Amino acid sequence: MQDRDLHILGLESSCDDTAAAVVRLDAQGRGHVVSSVVMGQTALHADFGGVVPEIAARAHAERIDIAVEQAISRADMTLHDMDVIATTAGPGLIGGVLSGVMCAKGLAKGLDKPLVGVNHLAGHALTPRLTDGIAYPYLMLLVSGGHCQFLIVSGPTEFKRLGGTIDDAPGEAFDKTARLLGLPQPGGPAVEQAAQSGDATRFAFPRPLLDRPGCDMSFSGLKTALLRTRDGLVAAQGGLYDHDIADFCASFQAAVGDVLAEKSARALVEYMALSPTQPTIAVAGGVAANTHIRKRLTTVAADHGTTFLAPPLALCTDNAAMIAYAGGELFLTGQRDDDTLSARPRWPLDTSQPAILGSGKKGAKA
Ligand code: KG4
Ligand code: ZN
């Protein structure tokens, strides 16, 4: 434990959010978000149906120093007050990651401050320590538009991956479902809203891989099933009524909820075998915003005698506060990087596991 507060400047640019944040790590090791700036790029990519890596990289290069200036000024501090410069060094879109890495290297060199390269997924995975100060080990379900995996988190560099998606990430499946039904992007909130008035039992969509042991998941078959059913209905009745769209959304959401709940139950059994002192399952990622999914996970957690934790959405989706916090923990374990730090498009947290086959709409993640 350090004997004084540490201030860490964090940078994040691995996908389509340019972000910078200042986090204070107090002498007890608790993290506090002093400022957090996230400059999204949704509008830049809207015409292309997905993130365009070149456009993302250029926007990051143009904005990363602006994000840093804003984070420092909102913290009412100066760059010289920072004790550590932390940056996402992967995994993600290489051009974007490079922007953050180059900016952080320049700052660390110019200010003569220590540099720490952070794995973006570790940033997500350590978020419940930043928000709730929970003890290791805990179970993390990372579930967003680009990631989906179960991790037992035992330390800032100790991750055991229990399973993950072998194709689409759930957020990607929500986005594709919205597209198939003529709903706006991002699809998750639109599908969730439409599902509220829908009948979740009308369409029997598959629950892929539930018949197989383990915690791996698959979501790409769901959209194919939805496409086929939609086309059948359109052929039969000449189009879709609002109540059909609502029923599609509710049935789809129920299928995703069933898969995540059942696989979480399996992951919890493995996790509980470690006899954790304060058993916790935490979620991170945009899909963690979904009320139905949160309800399902709350029940599963209670059934296994564990606490369920869903950090505020601004810290679940991509942000630099999680990178600053993880950088602080890594700094305290002695990690120091230098100007040889490189951007890694692929960087699995658990190298003992075979690579996940799927990647997610926003590029290869792990
Ligand atoms: O974590 P995030 O902001 O970005 C990455 O993908 O890294 O997650 C965005 C994803 C999108 O696919 C979006 O549709 C999904 O999270 N999402 C939701 C909800 N809100 C956002 N999915 C289901 N229900 C929601 N309420
Ligand atoms: Zn992310």
Side-chain angles (χ1 to χ4, degrees):
M1 203 114 312
Q2 77 278 15
D3 53 9
R4 65 177 183 87
D5 286 5
L6 283 180
H7 285 97
I8 306 114
L9 172 68
L11 273 62
E12 156 63 33
S13 56
S14 65
C15 190
D16 59 349
D17 292 300
T18 314
V22 175
V23 164
R24 177 169 60 84
L25 213 52
D26 67 25
Q28 285 70 47
R30 281 299 309 265
H32 308 270
V33 181
V34 183
S35 68
S36 180
V37 174
V38 179
M39 302 166 89
Q41 301 180 358
T42 310
L44 291 179
H45 304 283
D47 289 345
F48 305 97
V51 176
V52 183
E54 289 75 14
I55 293 176
R58 191 168 307 169
H60 286 306
E62 283 167 3
R63 299 170 174 185
I64 190 83
D65 53 344
I66 301 170
V68 168
E69 269 177 21
Q70 286 185 4
I72 291 289
S73 111
R74 285 184 203 174
D76 205 14
M77 300 178 86
T78 72
L79 280 171
H80 296 279
D81 297 324
M82 299 299 112
D83 298 295
V84 180
I85 311 294
T87 184
T88 296
L93 301 171
I94 185 77
V97 180
L98 267 172
S99 295
V101 167
M102 297 311 288
C103 180
K105 278 184 189 175
L107 287 169
K109 197 90 180 158
L111 298 163
D112 195 21
K113 303 281 182 186
L115 172 70
V116 175
V118 176
N119 182 310
H120 175 87
L121 300 170
H124 279 300
L126 297 183
T127 296
R129 295 205 15 103
L130 166 62
T131 55
D132 293 80
I134 61 169
Y136 295 119
Y138 54 90
L139 180 64
M140 157 67 46
L141 168 58
L142 207 60
V143 66
S144 71
H147 334 272
C148 184
Q149 52 186 304
F150 289 105
L151 296 161
I152 292 180
V153 186
S154 303
T157 56
E158 284 172 64
F159 304 95
K160 182 175 181 209
R161 200 185 80 214
L162 303 179
T165 181
I166 59 167
D167 42 52
D168 292 353
E172 191 177 6
F174 269 95
D175 295 340
K176 286 178 181 169
T177 293
R179 227 166 275 140
L180 289 175
L181 298 173
L183 296 173
Q185 297 293 315
V191 169
E192 178 171 16
Q193 202 194 349
Q196 277 170 10
S197 57
D199 173 4
T201 61
R202 177 164 168 207
F203 303 110
F205 292 134
R207 272 66 173 159
L209 300 191
L210 283 198
D211 54 338
R212 280 200 235 153
C215 298
D216 280 344
M217 291 161 281
S218 161
F219 296 97
S220 69
L222 262 173
K223 68 164 189 289
T224 315
L226 195 141
L227 173 66
R228 231 181 284 125
T229 317
R230 181 202 70 173
D231 288 351
L233 201 59
V234 169
Q237 60 184 36
L240 295 181
Y241 297 101
D242 282 352
H243 68 264
D244 296 324
I245 293 175
D247 293 346
F248 273 121
C249 289
S251 302
F252 164 82
Q253 187 174 262
V256 176
D258 277 355
V259 172
L260 290 175
E262 169 59 24
K263 296 289 177 167
S264 297
R266 293 184 197 177
L268 274 168
V269 171
E270 278 193 58
Y271 163 65
M272 290 304 274
L274 299 176
S275 307
T277 45
Q278 299 161 34
T280 308
I281 173 171
V283 283
V287 181
N290 186 283
T291 309
H292 173 75
I293 291 170
R294 282 165 96 117
K295 267 197 206 138
R296 296 296 313 269
L297 296 176
T298 306
T299 307
V300 174
D303 290 347
H304 289 79
T306 60
T307 303
F308 174 68
L309 217 57
L313 196 62
L315 292 176
C316 279
T317 52
D318 285 352
N319 66 88
M322 68 182 191
I323 302 304
Y325 175 77
E329 273 211 36
L330 292 167
F331 176 79
L332 292 178
T333 65
Q335 181 177 323
R336 304 288 182 274
D337 288 294
D338 57 24
D339 51 15
T340 63
L341 177 69
S342 53
R344 298 174 63 175
R346 282 192 167 261
W347 186 1
L349 284 177
D350 181 353
T351 45
S352 69
Q353 300 287 320
I356 292 182
L357 302 177
S359 58
K361 66 170 180 182
K362 294 177 177 176
K365 285 288 186 184

